[in-house]
Amino acid sequence: DYDLAGFFVGVVERKRLIDGSQIQPGDVVLGIASSGFHSNGYSLIRKVIDDQKLDLAADYGLGRSLGDALLEPTRLYAKAMAAAEGFGPSAAAHITGGGFYENLPRVLPEDLGARIDATTWERPAIIDFILERGQISVDEGYNVFNMGIGLVIIARAASAASIIDALANADYDASVIG
């Protein structure tokens, strides 16, 4: 058996820190597509696989084996942040363990909230498959998984199109999600 974990640490000058303190009413939330589950929710995913006796070699309409879909590498977002930096993002949050419900509020000032429109992006088929097979509510999915958005960037509405273009040039699929 192998258990492998990794992480990275960054250093930033205080004046370049993107910490959410610049968020204003009317800012938009940009969502950057994830590559799948990333590294979160696998205890629940393993339970679904065991309970449903799913075959990791089977396709289940996913276009590849369930095992291959679950082994999709985690998309990293350092290049995305570098692409967006010149357009003055106010905040950014990885949508990791704790899903949207825990991660997005961490960057919001106490007096502001965000309205997310989940109809503005398409969830990866593997996420919908696990939700369905595990009889996991969509609400619970937003608490555990990234639901197809790996990183959110909050920025002024006037900068949104420029950030989305810069992200596209850096090979990231992004859109306004709130």
Side-chain angles (χ1 to χ4, degrees):
D1 291 336
Y2 294 95
D3 186 8
L4 179 65
F7 69 95
F8 68 90
V9 175
V11 177
V12 65
E13 297 291 332
R14 186 171 301 279
K15 65 183 177 192
R16 292 180 58 203
L17 192 63
I18 302 170
D19 63 0
S21 64
Q22 300 302 310
I23 294 174
Q24 297 177 1
D27 282 357
V28 296
V29 180
L30 306 174
I32 303 176
S34 70
S35 55
F37 286 108
H38 289 183
S39 58
N40 299 104
Y42 275 86
S43 294
L44 180 54
I45 293 166
R46 279 192 299 274
K47 182 178 181 340
V48 171
I49 291 168
D50 290 344
D51 289 353
Q52 297 297 311
K53 299 178 180 20
L54 298 174
D55 180 358
L56 293 174
D59 180 287
Y60 296 108
L62 298 170
R64 58 185 169 164
S65 74
L66 174 59
D68 285 346
L70 292 172
L71 289 173
E72 180 70 33
T74 298
R75 185 92 199 254
L76 301 178
Y77 298 99
K79 290 180 183 177
M81 287 306 301
E85 183 181 14
F87 301 98
S90 304
H94 270 110
I95 307 302
T96 59
F100 272 85
Y101 296 153
E102 289 183 23
N103 291 289
L104 184 54
R106 288 181 188 160
V107 299
L108 297 173
E110 286 187 27
D111 61 334
L112 292 177
R115 280 187 230 133
I116 302 300
D117 181 355
T119 67
T120 59
W121 75 91
E122 188 173 328
R123 284 193 304 260
I126 184 63
I127 293 176
D128 285 337
F129 175 80
I130 292 296
L131 292 176
E132 179 184 320
R133 287 301 184 102
Q135 298 178 339
I136 301 165
S137 71
V138 171
D139 188 53
E140 178 66 11
Y142 278 97
N143 194 49
V144 177
F145 305 126
N146 66 49
M147 299 300 277
I149 299 293
L151 180 78
V152 295
I153 295 175
I154 300 173
R156 303 290 182 268
S159 300
S162 297
I163 293 173
I164 290 170
D165 288 345
L167 290 167
N169 289 333
D171 200 28
Y172 291 91
D173 181 23
S175 60
V176 175
I177 65 168

